[in-house]
Amino acid sequence: MRLYLVRHAQSEANVRKILDTALPGPPLTELGRQQARDLAERLGGEPIAAVYASYATRARQTAGPLADALSMEVTLLPGVQEVSVGDLEGRGDQEALELYGKIVGQWLDGRLDVPLPGGETGHDVRKRYVEAIDGLRDRHYGSGEAVVVVSHGGAIRFGAEWLAGNVTSEIADNGLLPNTAVVRLDADANGGWHCSEWAGISVGN
């Protein structure tokens, strides 16, 4: 089983460079809609069994052209939404961005109990994200096909490292995932995952 974790295409909030995590969130830009069509061309030839997306408008709009190309419906998947920033929602000022970075940096050091102000802790994000992906594994493992999940940069960055032991901080912290970047995870026979590609870069053992 292959799992393609895809960051959504460019949204209006990306252009404004603000923290935007509340649902349903803003739509894609015109460039974002083109990126979604390009994603459909890139993955449309893969043996894909299902296309999932978070409940965010930008994720659903990104997944739509791929699902259409495969004559499928987009299935909404609870648990893979972006990290909730709480009181920092809608802010793009330096103070807010630095506070966000400081807190999630503590998550990376293993302090998952630290909350974003009015938002989630690392434990909250890990529990919901891992449970969502475990559910997909239960549903699709053994099919020999691929599953696509369109979600969000922060959720993918943390989720992939929690799921796959070979995703190191050196890989995951190498800048923000670009819009429509793909992280490929391959299911192993022991119930785990192995990352083979990170945004177009091959990942070793």
Side-chain angles (χ1 to χ4, degrees):
M1 175 185 173
R2 279 166 290 161
L3 178 63
Y4 292 125
L5 304 175
V6 182
R7 187 188 176 206
H8 62 81
Q10 186 191 71
S11 73
E12 293 179 358
N14 292 154
V15 175
R16 295 169 60 198
K17 298 182 179 180
I18 62 174
L19 294 167
D20 176 71
T21 65
L23 297 173
L28 298 181
T29 62
E30 182 55 43
L31 173 59
R33 288 189 284 272
Q34 181 59 55
Q35 290 173 336
R37 293 190 290 269
D38 292 343
L39 175 70
E41 291 188 10
R42 283 160 50 200
L43 295 182
E46 297 286 329
I48 292 171
V51 178
Y52 295 89
S54 84
Y55 279 76
T57 299
R58 57 194 181 277
R60 292 187 283 111
Q61 289 180 335
T62 302
L66 176 59
D68 289 344
L70 297 168
S71 299
M72 295 179 179
E73 298 291 328
V74 176
T75 301
L76 300 183
L77 183 65
V80 297
Q81 68 269 22
E82 185 58 290
V83 176
S84 174
V85 298
D87 298 342
L88 303 180
E89 184 71 24
R91 292 178 58 180
D93 56 282
Q94 184 175 355
E95 180 184 5
L97 297 177
E98 287 181 352
L99 179 56
Y100 173 83
K102 178 181 178 181
I103 291 172
V104 299
Q106 293 179 74
W107 296 358
L108 299 176
D109 290 334
R111 294 190 57 193
L112 298 181
D113 59 316
V114 180
L116 285 156
E120 292 184 289
T121 67
H123 283 305
D124 295 331
V125 180
R126 179 169 185 161
K127 181 177 186 297
R128 64 168 168 83
Y129 193 92
V130 171
E131 284 182 355
I133 300 304
D134 284 347
L136 293 186
R137 185 189 180 98
D138 292 342
R139 197 173 310 158
H140 295 285
Y141 184 74
S143 67
E145 296 178 308
V147 172
V148 174
V149 178
V150 180
S151 64
H152 308 270
I156 293 171
R157 181 257 172 270
F158 291 114
E161 187 168 1
W162 289 328
L163 291 165
N166 69 320
V167 175
T168 63
S169 58
E170 289 77 15
I171 296 169
D173 293 344
N174 190 22
L176 294 174
L177 281 173
N179 293 114
T180 69
V182 177
V183 172
R184 174 178 165 172
L185 303 183
D186 299 290
D188 63 36
N190 299 316
W193 298 89
H194 180 273
C195 181
S196 58
E197 180 181 334
W198 187 279
I201 300 173
S202 295
V203 179
N205 297 325

